Amino acid sequence: MLLADHQLLQILSQSNLATAVYGSDELHIHFANRAMLALWRKQPNIIGSTLEEAMPELVGQPFGDILRKVWKTGQAYRDTDTPADLMKDGRLVRAYYDFEFRPILDSEGQTIAIIHEATDVTARLQAQANITETHNREQELISKLTQSNDDFKITNQKLQDSNDNINILNLRLQESETDFKRLVEQAPVAILVFRGENLVIDIANAAMLEILDKDPDIIGRPILDSMPELRGEPAVDLLFDVYHSGRVEEGIEVPVRIRKGNVLETRYFNFSYRPLMDHGKIVGVMDVAVEVTAQVLARQELRANEQRLQGILDTMAEGLIIVNMDGMPNYANLTALRILGLSDEEFNARFYNDLKWKNERLDGTLLPDKEHPIYTVLHEARSVYDYELATHQTNGDRKYLSINAAPLLDAEGKLIGAIATFTDVTHRRLLMQQKDDFISVASHELKTPITSLKAAIQLLDRMKHNIHPEMLLKLIDQSNRSLNKLSELVSSLLNTNRIAEGRFPINKQQFKIGDMLAECREQVASATSQEIQLSGDLDLEILGDRQLLEQVVINLLNNAIKYAHNSPTIQIRAEKLPDAVKVAVSDTGPGIDPEKIPHIFERYYRADREGMNFSGLGLGLFISAEIISRHNGEIGVDSIVDQGTTFWFKIPVFSS
Ligand code: ADP
């Protein structure tokens, strides 16, 4: 059944597709349905006029010509996304249309009408434009974020940027939800979008799935269902907070425990949580995250290394300083400050070769800058080992330092300063000096008896055929005395080391103190004209190594004879104390300077007064003190200059 014309028109008028019919080559509007009138923004009264009468704004636009051509040729014409400027509320407004001009032909092929159908596609084009813009932004975002991988700080900034961008995108969400999804899926930052109160995962992009080590099947499920291990994680609680409060939350380096296989790993994220709004209502939360675990761990490790290094630097026995190319200090460890006797500020204000240090060579002359090990490092870029110099402390003390110095290079191998370690070798240096002094003294001491022995033997040799018996006896006696002196010197030299280390045997026996003291007097009497008097509790029995104690007393007597030869008498006195016996040897000689007394028992110490020159090795009192200490006793001296000296020792007695 064919429909009648008016029936057809009735159908067309019902159509939602904007439709018009032109009935002549002058484009008389024969019909326009409601949709077309709305598109044109015209009333039905235009029906009957020509298109250009009804819409004069179309003159100069291509549509009239196209329609006339369609009429003439009988060829349909269609186009899409075509702009047309139509009057709306008194002004020209551009909109875009898909349209078709379809000729209706009679049986001879003549055009009898043109059907015009049109669709306003402005909104679609707008959406497309949005897509393009979104795409461009996405590209921009991707490139920004790609750069940001290099630099952690920039990453944060970019995260901020990407948040901003995503915010903008968020606004477009309603317009172009699918574009948004596509963007999110491809974004190089990890993104999760949650919907609803239970935070159902709506979108989880590839970057996020990788972080979570999950399959896309978590999408569509509430977060705590798909990842129960996240329950209680503060970062997850915060998501719920954002859903309820609508506040934006940002996190920097927040630890989150994430399940990987069967293990929970703590990883670190910078994130931003933003509420998603729909008509002023919170409908979801978007989580944009950047994983910063590597950076955080690297920094933690760096910090741990630093702490470890600091610990080593603080506890090392050597001083350590670092100076820059100008020779100004950058760093000093605690030991360095202690050795140099400086506070941190004092140290930082000083140039390594500051004149205030009064750096000196070992011979006491001023150390020229060029000889300083740090100078060598900074100017010749080579290391210096065990360089000894003397410095003066702020308090005036002189210290000897042994310095190792090495170039400090940057990553490219460029010299940027010097690092020096040093130890305080003052003690070692002083001991060495004492030893040097001692060797010259000892040689000198040995020379005297050797010379005298040599002389005696030469005389004997010269007179061997004709010698007076008295002379023979005298020369033999001289040789003997020299030899005795020599062997005495040699044995005390040999003994000192053993004695200094406490390595000498001690054989205690009981004896009467008076007997021992008398024997000592006997032994030295011939060497002096001074009177040696014995007094006190001479009948006391004591327990000790008689030979060693004799050595002590003889040493004290010899010293009195040597250093107090002007003292007419030398007193030896034994005295019983409650639990010890005290033996004192007194003279009325020159006495000892009070400031020398504290050192008098030290090894190699000699307290000769100015102008006096006595021979001696500086060992006698040192050895005596060692012997008394092995008896658990005590040794000391009381002396007044120009009045006399009393050396004494106490040996404990045990009532038996
Ligand atoms: P030495 O006699 O070989 O120098 P000592 O250890 O026996 O070594 O003595 C150390 C120093 O003590 C001596 O150099 C001397 O100056 C001082 N001294 C020791 N006894 C006396 C004394 N009775 N009177 C003054 N000075 C003494």
Side-chain angles (χ1 to χ4, degrees):
M1 186 194 79
L2 286 171
L3 292 173
D5 263 10
H6 74 274
Q7 285 176 310
L8 276 172
L9 288 176
Q10 209 173 343
I11 291 169
L12 288 178
S13 69
Q14 296 303 313
S15 167
N16 282 330
L17 183 64
T19 310
V21 178
Y22 307 104
S24 73
D25 60 352
E26 278 159 31
L27 309 179
H28 282 94
I29 302 166
H30 186 70
F31 168 82
N33 70 358
R34 222 174 314 150
M36 185 58 95
L37 288 172
L39 191 150
W40 284 341
R41 299 187 181 82
K42 296 292 176 215
Q43 298 301 318
N45 60 10
I46 61 155
I47 294 185
S49 31
T50 67
L51 181 65
E52 281 157 352
E53 281 165 2
M55 285 175 281
E57 67 265 30
L58 286 181
V59 176
Q61 298 190 48
F63 306 105
D65 290 346
I66 296 170
L67 278 166
R68 278 185 279 276
K69 197 168 160 206
V70 169
W71 192 276
K72 213 153 89 200
T73 60
Q75 300 284 316
Y77 181 95
R78 66 179 66 84
D79 205 350
T80 52
D81 302 342
T82 307
D85 299 325
L86 299 178
M87 290 302 283
K88 180 185 179 187
D89 304 328
R91 43 188 197 95
L92 274 184
V93 173
R94 171 158 295 190
Y96 295 83
Y97 303 94
D98 288 355
F99 69 94
E100 182 172 1
F101 298 146
R102 205 167 53 245
I104 308 291
L105 307 179
D106 64 11
S107 49
E108 262 109 63
Q110 289 297 314
T111 305
I112 53 167
I114 295 175
I115 297 180
H116 172 192
E117 288 171 354
T119 316
D120 186 338
V121 295
T122 310
R124 186 181 78 200
L125 283 184
Q126 194 69 52
Q128 260 164 14
N130 284 344
I131 289 170
T132 314
E133 192 186 338
T134 307
H135 181 73
N136 290 342
R137 273 183 192 282
E138 177 191 335
Q139 285 307 325
E140 195 184 319
L141 175 65
I142 286 170
S143 74
K144 275 186 187 171
L145 283 163
T146 312
Q147 284 169 17
S148 77
N149 284 342
D150 300 342
D151 189 314
F152 169 55
K153 276 187 189 158
I154 297 174
T155 305
N156 277 334
Q157 182 54 43
K158 299 301 180 203
L159 173 61
Q160 193 63 43
D161 289 355
S162 79
N163 276 339
D164 294 347
N165 280 317
I166 284 164
N167 257 354
I168 296 167
L169 295 166
N170 194 4
L171 289 175
R172 302 228 166 99
L173 185 62
Q174 286 147 348
E175 299 172 12
S176 107
E177 170 105 25
T178 49
D179 293 330
F180 171 72
K181 280 200 177 177
R182 201 168 53 80
L183 167 69
V184 163
E185 256 134 39
Q186 292 175 10
V189 284
I191 298 176
L192 268 173
V193 176
F194 302 96
R195 300 265 173 198
E197 192 153 18
N198 293 329
L199 300 185
V200 172
I201 298 171
D202 189 35
I203 308 176
N205 69 355
M208 184 57 92
L209 290 174
E210 196 181 316
I211 285 177
L212 298 174
D213 194 29
K214 295 285 177 208
D215 295 326
D217 62 13
I218 60 166
I219 294 169
R221 295 165 62 196
I223 178 169
L224 293 178
D225 281 5
S226 52
M227 292 175 281
E229 68 268 21
L230 291 180
R231 188 179 293 278
E233 280 296 326
V236 173
D237 292 345
L238 194 61
L239 270 176
F240 286 92
D241 287 353
V242 169
Y243 186 87
H244 289 112
S245 69
R247 269 201 315 272
V248 171
E249 296 283 357
E250 313 262 345
I252 299 287
E253 294 178 11
V254 177
V256 182
R257 280 177 310 150
I258 290 186
R259 182 178 295 282
K260 183 136 202 164
N262 275 333
V263 282
L264 275 181
E265 282 180 354
T266 299
R267 292 158 69 178
Y268 296 85
F269 297 91
N270 291 355
F271 61 74
S272 131
Y273 294 163
R274 270 153 210 274
L276 296 176
M277 312 293 287
D278 186 16
H279 295 96
K281 226 180 110 234
I282 300 167
V283 294
V285 180
M286 176 160 68
D287 164 9
V288 179
V290 174
E291 176 157 16
V292 292
T293 307
Q295 289 94 324
V296 171
L297 292 184
R299 218 185 27 239
Q300 280 176 357
E301 185 167 322
L302 199 67
R303 211 173 293 142
N305 280 345
E306 260 169 22
Q307 274 167 3
R308 206 167 331 152
L309 188 64
Q310 192 62 50
I312 293 170
L313 291 178
D314 285 347
T315 52
M316 68 191 253
E318 286 179 299
L320 182 143
I321 63 171
I322 294 173
V323 302
N324 64 17
M325 285 305 284
D326 302 328
M328 290 306 290
N330 272 345
Y331 174 79
N333 71 352
L334 294 176
T335 314
L337 296 177
R338 186 171 47 69
I339 292 178
L340 299 175
L342 293 176
S343 70
D344 231 347
E345 290 110 70
E346 286 172 322
F347 172 77
N348 283 328
R350 278 209 194 184
F351 182 63
Y352 71 88
N353 203 13
D354 203 311
L355 281 181
K356 280 184 247 163
W357 292 119
K358 295 203 205 105
N359 286 340
E360 287 171 1
R361 295 188 181 114
L362 292 182
D363 64 9
T365 56
L366 198 70
L367 182 82
D369 188 28
K370 287 193 153 104
E371 281 179 32
H372 198 290
I374 290 184
Y375 181 97
T376 311
V377 171
L378 295 182
H379 292 85
E380 294 167 34
R382 66 180 172 88
S383 300
V384 178
Y385 297 101
D386 198 14
Y387 186 94
E388 249 185 78
L389 55 76
T391 68
H392 286 259
Q393 309 262 291
T394 16
N395 65 9
D397 280 0
R398 195 156 186 268
K399 269 200 180 166
Y400 289 90
L401 305 183
S402 162
I403 304 179
N404 292 336
L408 198 65
L409 307 175
D410 68 8
E412 275 101 52
K414 196 167 105 3
L415 184 69
I416 52 167
I419 180 162
T421 58
F422 51 93
T423 41
D424 181 352
V425 293
T426 310
H427 189 65
R428 169 180 103 180
R429 168 69 32 205
L430 290 182
L431 267 183
M432 262 159 63
Q433 257 166 24
Q434 280 177 349
K435 242 188 181 133
D436 288 351
D437 293 351
F438 170 71
I439 285 168
S440 65
V441 168
S443 323
H444 185 77
E445 287 294 289
L446 289 168
K447 218 170 144 195
T448 317
I450 288 172
T451 312
S452 129
L453 181 60
K454 220 162 133 188
I457 288 175
Q458 270 173 2
L459 276 176
L460 276 173
D461 189 36
R462 217 175 290 161
M463 300 189 286
K464 57 186 176 250
H465 303 301
N466 179 20
I467 192 163
H468 194 279
E470 205 174 301
M471 187 57 164
L472 181 66
L473 284 179
K474 209 182 140 205
L475 288 177
I476 289 175
D477 183 49
Q478 183 183 332
S479 304
N480 266 336
R481 269 189 288 117
S482 300
L483 265 179
N484 282 343
K485 180 76 193 152
L486 266 178
S487 73
E488 209 178 278
L489 278 168
V490 168
S491 76
S492 76
L493 284 176
L494 285 175
N495 281 337
T496 348
N497 270 329
R498 281 194 297 123
I499 285 174
E501 289 157 23
R503 281 191 296 119
F504 57 96
I506 168 161
N507 302 307
K508 287 191 183 172
Q509 63 199 85
Q510 195 165 340
F511 57 90
K512 207 202 259 181
I513 189 85
D515 293 352
M516 189 269 269
L517 295 176
E519 198 172 314
C520 293
R521 175 169 62 174
E522 207 83 335
Q523 281 199 39
V524 298
S526 64
T528 181
S529 56
Q530 290 153 297
E531 193 190 337
I532 302 175
Q533 297 172 348
L534 269 178
S535 64
D537 307 321
L538 297 173
D539 289 333
L540 273 173
E541 291 278 332
I542 67 161
L543 189 67
D545 186 314
R546 182 165 170 162
Q547 260 180 335
L548 289 176
L549 291 176
E550 268 176 23
Q551 200 181 324
V552 173
V553 175
I554 288 173
N555 185 38
L556 297 180
L557 285 171
N558 277 334
N559 276 351
I561 293 166
K562 185 161 44 161
Y563 299 108
H565 48 86
N566 60 344
S567 167
T569 57
I570 299 169
Q571 289 278 348
I572 309 177
R573 194 178 161 73
E575 189 185 342
K576 185 179 171 354
L577 301 179
D579 50 4
V581 56
K582 179 177 179 182
V583 174
V585 176
S586 313
D587 62 58
T588 52
I592 302 169
D593 290 339
E595 70 266 21
K596 292 183 177 162
I597 286 182
H599 303 289
I600 207 97
F601 295 100
E602 285 173 9
R603 196 176 184 178
Y604 310 135
Y605 189 83
R606 309 196 58 234
D608 288 355
R609 301 180 69 188
E610 265 164 63
M612 310 273 214
N613 199 0
F614 296 100
S615 65
L617 295 174
L619 289 173
L621 288 177
F622 169 71
I623 292 171
S624 302
E626 290 296 316
I627 292 170
I628 298 303
S629 134
R630 279 295 291 275
H631 282 82
N632 302 316
E634 202 187 324
I635 192 165
V637 60
D638 306 315
S639 181
I640 297 173
V641 172
D642 290 336
Q643 286 193 25
T645 305
T646 297
F647 278 96
W648 53 261
F649 62 84
K650 296 175 193 169
I651 299 290
V653 282
F654 307 98
S655 45
S656 51

